[in-house]
Amino acid sequence: MFLILCFAGFAIGIGFVRGAIDAAPSLDILDVQPQGYASQIYDADGNLMQTLVMEGSNREEVSFDQLPDDLVNAFIAIEDSRFYEHNGIDLKGILRAAYVGITSGRFSEGASTITQQLIKNNVFPNFVNETNSERFERKIQEQYLALKIEKQMSKKEILEAYMNTINLGKGCLGVQTAAKRYFNKDAADLTLSECAVIAGITQSPSGNDPVKHPDVNARRREKVLNNMKKLGFIN
C-alpha cells in the first residue's frame, strides 16, 4: 500500500509538472525585454524641458557596456552567485533552499536565478496576486522557460535586460533611474559602496529603501560587500 501511494504521488507530481510546462507561454527574446520607458521633451537647443512618466514606465535604458563592473558584480553576488555557471536553473541553490526550509521550518530562502527573475518580471507581471497553487505552477514554468531563454540569449544580454527591468523602490525601474534617484548621477559613475546600496534594495524594494530605512539598507549593503569579497570580486 505504501509503495502504491508513493507511485501514485509520483505520477500525480509528474502530471502536474507536465501540465504546467504544456501551459507555459511561448517565449522569445522580445518577451523578456523591459517594456515602458520615460519620455523626455527637449527644446530646440537640446535642453531637457520635461520628463513624462506613465505608470510602470519610470525607466531609462542603459546598455551593458555603460554599467560599472562593481554594479554588475554586486547584483550577481547578492542575487545569483553561480550566474555564470548554471544554464538558467541553479540546482545547488534549490537544494540549499530546500535544506534550510526543512531544517528551520521556514522556507524563506529563494533559489530563483537572475534569468528566472527576468522572466518573472516581464512574462508573469501579475505574480504578486497569485494563490499558492498558481505560484507553484509559475515556478515550474519559470524554470522551464529559463532553460529555453538561456539558449537564445548570452549571459551579457540577460544581465542587461535584468538590470533595466528590476524594481528598485521609489518608483524606480532599472539601475539608471535608481542611480539618479538615490545618488543624482548616472549608473556608470556609481562608486562601489553606492553599487552595493542599490543591489541591496532588490530583495524588498520598500523594506530595503535606503532613504526610508537607511539602517536596514546598510545591513543589506554590508552583506552585498561581504558576498562580493567571498566571490573574489573585491579584495
Side-chain angles (χ1 to χ4, degrees), residues 24-25 27 119 123-124 141-150:
L27 188 70
I119 292 169
V123 181
F124 302 102
Q141 293 174 341
E142 273 180 21
Q143 293 174 351
Y144 167 69
L145 295 173
L147 293 172
K148 291 186 65 176
I149 206 66
E150 287 248 357

Side-chain angles (χ1 to χ4, degrees), residues 58-128:
N58 189 23
R59 177 186 288 113
E60 291 184 45
E61 186 174 17
V62 60
S63 70
F64 184 85
D65 295 335
Q66 294 174 296
L67 299 173
D69 289 342
D70 284 335
L71 185 60
V72 174
N73 292 336
F75 277 96
I76 290 174
I78 198 64
E79 292 295 313
D80 187 357
S81 62
R82 284 180 286 276
F83 175 72
Y84 289 113
E85 302 167 22
H86 63 65
N87 61 351
I89 300 175
D90 182 6
L91 293 178
K92 289 183 179 179
I94 292 172
L95 293 174
R96 183 203 69 242
Y99 174 78
V100 171
I102 292 171
T103 55
S104 68
R106 294 186 305 159
F107 290 86
S108 56
E109 287 208 13
S112 292
T113 62
I114 282 176
T115 312
Q116 288 176 245
Q117 292 179 47
L118 175 63
I119 292 169
K120 177 182 70 175
N121 285 308
N122 289 329
V123 181
F124 302 102
N126 297 319
F127 67 88
V128 293

Side-chain angles (χ1 to χ4, degrees), residues 7 46 75 77-78 135 148 150 175-176 186 193 211 224 230:
F7 280 121
F75 277 96
I78 198 64
R135 180 175 182 271
K148 291 186 65 176
E150 287 248 357
V175 294
Q176 175 69 359
D186 289 327
S193 180
V211 176
V224 172
K230 188 184 302 181

Side-chain angles (χ1 to χ4, degrees), residues 145-160:
L145 295 173
L147 293 172
K148 291 186 65 176
I149 206 66
E150 287 248 357
K151 295 177 181 178
Q152 301 177 46
M153 298 174 67
S154 68
K155 293 288 187 179
K156 176 180 174 180
E157 290 171 330
I158 291 170
L159 281 170
E160 180 178 301

